[in-house]
Amino acid sequence: MGTRQREADAAADHFLLKIARENQLQSLTEKELRLDETPVTSYPQPIRAKAWIRFGAIPMHVDCWIHRTTSDAAGVAFTIRDKTFRCWVWGNAVTLPDEAGTAAAPAAGRRA
């Protein structure tokens, strides 16, 4: 990776951290998740993915790891610099890379 790319990545991380400091990370509520009536699948080896998340009203498309899913949602974690964030998002907000590296099907309900 060249110097310019590292500088661009550092600037992007700084911008994302600023947004994260100024806005609350949004996550699905217990009522939306229905965890008392919907089974949860946990993954011993998290699955690499991309997800649309929100800090306040600001949407971001981030590289993330899926740690758990229900039939409708995914519990994801992502890191900005050294800070890890975790939230639940709707399954159709998450995509798995296919072998060609492009976005594949939504991740909710995926079974290992």
Side-chain angles (χ1 to χ4, degrees):
M1 182 184 316
T3 302
R4 288 186 184 178
Q5 183 62 49
R6 280 192 296 273
E7 290 171 356
D9 289 348
D13 283 353
H14 179 75
F15 176 72
L16 294 176
L17 281 174
K18 182 179 186 307
I19 289 172
R21 276 194 302 271
E22 296 173 358
N23 299 275
Q24 184 174 352
L25 177 62
Q26 302 297 303
S27 187
L28 298 177
T29 65
E30 287 185 30
K31 185 175 181 179
E32 291 169 321
L33 289 169
R34 300 175 307 136
L35 295 178
D36 57 335
E37 57 190 76
T38 304
V40 175
T41 300
S42 295
Y43 302 102
Q45 295 293 317
I47 301 162
R48 187 176 210 90
K50 285 195 165 283
W52 283 101
I53 57 94
R54 288 184 179 272
F55 281 102
I58 302 168
M60 292 184 191
H61 201 215
V62 297
D63 292 320
C64 66
W65 293 96
I66 301 170
H67 287 268
R68 61 195 58 81
T69 58
T70 68
S71 58
D72 298 321
V76 301
F78 59 97
T79 303
I80 303 173
R81 289 209 181 155
D82 294 331
K83 184 162 174 59
T84 299
F85 298 88
R86 290 178 171 76
C87 63
W88 281 96
V89 297
W90 292 118
N92 62 357
V94 180
T95 52
L96 302 172
D98 64 12
E99 290 180 11
T102 58
R110 181 186 186 283
R111 301 286 184 227

